[in-house]
Amino acid sequence: MTRMRYPQATPTVFSGAKAFVEQHGVTVWCELCDTVTPEQWFHVTASARQLDCLRRYSKPERYLQAVLKAVIADFEERPDAYERRPPVQIKGLRMTEAKV
């Protein structure tokens, strides 16, 4: 099973974020990429509630935000791994919208 990197510099969304991202981040990322339209802004909370892999969580947006923050931190540490193109962009201080 592939584990998602959770760089040291990743902003913490909640106390179990690192363990969640390392265990389930790849699944969440893949389902998100299969669900949203590339290069179009999507509402993070609404999209998180549509993902099957996050349905059992009371606040699924927190888990999606943790994954997105880890991906952003990983890009900032290793831009060459992403062909120097950010895999996700966010809008707003509270990460209300994002684009993959």
Side-chain angles (χ1 to χ4, degrees), residues 27-37 51 100:
T27 301
V28 173
W29 179 253
C30 290
E31 189 174 339
L32 176 70
C33 290
D34 288 345
T35 304
V36 299
T37 305
L51 300 179
V100 294

Side-chain angles (χ1 to χ4, degrees), residues 56-93:
R56 68 177 188 239
Y57 299 100
S58 62
K59 291 187 175 177
E61 63 275 8
R62 291 184 343 149
Y63 296 87
L64 179 54
Q65 288 171 342
V67 169
L68 295 176
K69 286 181 179 190
V71 170
I72 291 167
D74 190 45
F75 168 74
E76 289 172 355
E77 266 187 19
R78 306 176 321 127
D80 289 339
Y82 297 89
E83 298 173 3
R84 300 201 164 274
R85 185 182 168 276
V88 63
Q89 294 175 282
I90 59 168
K91 192 188 290 186
L93 293 173

